[in-house]
Amino acid sequence: GQQLNQSPQSMFIQEGEDVSMNCTSSSIFNTWLWYKQEPGEGPVLLIALYKAGELTSNGRLTAQFGITRKDSFLNISASIPSDVGIYFCAGPDQTGANNLFFGTGTRLTVIP
Amino acid sequence: GAGVSQSPSNKVTEKGKDVELRCDPISGHTALYWYRQSLGQGLEFLIYFQGNSAPDKSGLPSDRFSAERTGGSVSTLTIQRTQQEDSAVYLCASSLGGQPSNTQYFGPGTRLTVL
């Protein structure tokens, strides 16, 4: 199946530190998405990657689409308390269906 | 503009009862998705609607689960004879179209607890 494995499962960092998390798959994905979910809310799209090797930034967030198409990473620079949440990677079903597969998430806690 | 809304926000029910969860997508979005998120897990796809096409039901875990989308807008997810393992957050998303490049916008979810 098209499973996405995220690491680490959780992170506790001091405010101001940089954060790195990654997502790997045994299958090739043609699109990688990174979402953030805050308590009581649905996930919100942060960054979308459509091309192998692509490096995309959104403010303090930077994500890369791995050259093998089987991995992606997300970096957050100079973390702030509002970065707290669960970060999910996701990719579209490669069988032609229209749903997204989601990773199990990385829970980020930022200590002020 | 309004985002995706879901109701109720929380639902507690007894095992064996039926429940209905509602989703109001963003106006003009033709694609609508239901996902389930169990505690500490990622999202699991349930069902997808696109325009007037037959829905993709491939993610529904059992025949106790069904969904409808009336008039191409509001959708209702029904779970019959609920079981404790059905306890989860049920999330609805909509997008402008059904392509992977169309961003899915999620509602806040309905937290279902089956006692």
Side-chain angles (χ1 to χ4, degrees), chain B residues 18-62:
Chain B
D18 298 351
V19 295
E20 285 190 351
L21 312 179
R22 176 186 168 109
C23 172
D24 283 86
I26 294 173
S27 177
H29 281 193
T30 61
L32 187 147
Y33 308 77
W34 283 97
Y35 292 86
R36 177 170 69 175
Q37 185 176 27
S38 300
L39 187 64
Q41 300 296 314
L43 280 68
E44 171 193 6
F45 166 73
L46 297 177
I47 189 168
Y48 159 74
F49 296 89
Q50 169 59 38
N52 295 321
S53 302
D56 175 358
K57 304 179 182 180
S58 60
L60 295 179
S62 78

Side-chain angles (χ1 to χ4, degrees), chain A residues 1 4 72 107:
Chain A
L4 297 173
S72 176
R107 183 181 294 273

Side-chain angles (χ1 to χ4, degrees), chain A residues 2-76:
Chain A
Q2 299 168 64
Q3 294 183 328
L4 297 173
N5 301 303
Q6 286 188 248
S7 64
Q9 286 187 318
S10 62
M11 304 180 73
F12 291 81
I13 62 168
Q14 293 284 342
E15 182 178 357
E17 288 184 353
D18 296 343
V19 172
S20 184
M21 60 189 78
N22 75 301
C23 185
T24 60
S25 172
S26 57
S27 308
I28 288 175
F29 281 85
N30 292 319
T31 298
W32 284 90
L33 306 171
W34 284 93
Y35 281 84
K36 179 188 177 187
Q37 185 177 28
E38 298 186 11
E41 301 293 329
V44 174
L45 182 66
L46 299 174
I47 291 180
L49 302 159
Y50 299 107
K51 187 177 176 182
E54 180 181 355
L55 184 72
T56 296
S57 293
N58 178 6
R60 294 179 295 105
L61 277 61
T62 302
Q64 185 157 29
F65 190 145
I67 200 73
T68 65
R69 296 179 179 269
K70 292 184 177 181
D71 62 345
S72 176
F73 72 73
L74 175 70
N75 285 345
I76 305 172

